[in-house]
Amino acid sequence: QVQLVESGGGLVQAGGSLRLSCAASISTFTWNTMGWYRQAPGKQRDLVAHISSGGIPNYAASVKGRFTISRDNAKNTVYLQMNSLKPEDTAVYYCNRLPTLTSWGQGTQVTVSS
C-alpha cells in the first residue's frame, strides 16, 4: 500500500524559512515525477513545484525564486525548501506524484504570520 508521509511544517514569521520532507513508499519512486501541492482554507489544491525523475525542477510562478524542490532517490524522499515565506503561503502542504495517486498523505500545516 502506498504511503505518503509529509513533515516539517510549522508556524513561522514572514520572511522565515521551513524545510518540508515527504517519505514516499512508492516502489517506482525513482521513475516518478514528484510534486508538492498546497491547499489553503476554502481553496483548491494547487501544484506548487515538481521534480522529474532526472532531477529537473519546475515551479509555480507564485513560489519561483523562493522555493527549492529536491529529491533523494536512495531514501524515497522529496524535499521542499521554502525561503522568504509570505502569509499567502499559509496552507496544508502535500506531496504526491504526477499524475497523482488516489491516496494522499495527511499533509503538513504551514502557517506564516505577518
Side-chain angles (χ1 to χ4, degrees), residues 10-34:
L11 172 64
V12 65
Q13 289 188 330
S17 298
L18 285 172
R19 188 191 193 211
L20 307 183
S21 299
C22 170
S25 64
I26 302 174
S27 61
T28 58
F29 178 88
T30 301
W31 311 111
N32 289 148
T33 293
M34 295 297 298

Side-chain angles (χ1 to χ4, degrees), residues 76-93:
N76 275 27
T77 300
V78 61
Y79 304 96
L80 187 68
Q81 176 67 43
M82 306 187 297
N83 299 327
S84 302
L85 282 161
K86 304 176 180 180
E88 51 263 43
D89 294 318
T90 295
V92 179
Y93 284 72

Side-chain angles (χ1 to χ4, degrees), residues 30-104:
T30 301
W31 311 111
N32 289 148
T33 293
M34 295 297 298
W36 280 99
Y37 303 75
R38 68 185 181 188
Q39 187 168 21
K43 296 188 176 181
Q44 67 180 18
R45 189 172 298 178
D46 292 326
L47 178 65
V48 295
H50 64 271
I51 185 166
S52 71
S53 58
I56 298 174
N58 204 293
Y59 302 95
S62 58
V63 306
K64 196 169 187 179
R66 300 188 297 121
F67 290 11
T68 301
I69 189 171
S70 61
R71 64 190 296 162
D72 185 338
N73 289 337
K75 296 181 178 179
N76 275 27
T77 300
V78 61
Y79 304 96
L80 187 68
Q81 176 67 43
M82 306 187 297
N83 299 327
S84 302
L85 282 161
K86 304 176 180 180
E88 51 263 43
D89 294 318
T90 295
V92 179
Y93 284 72
Y94 303 87
C95 72
N96 208 316
R97 72 173 194 189
L98 279 73
T100 60
L101 296 164
T102 302
S103 61
W104 292 77

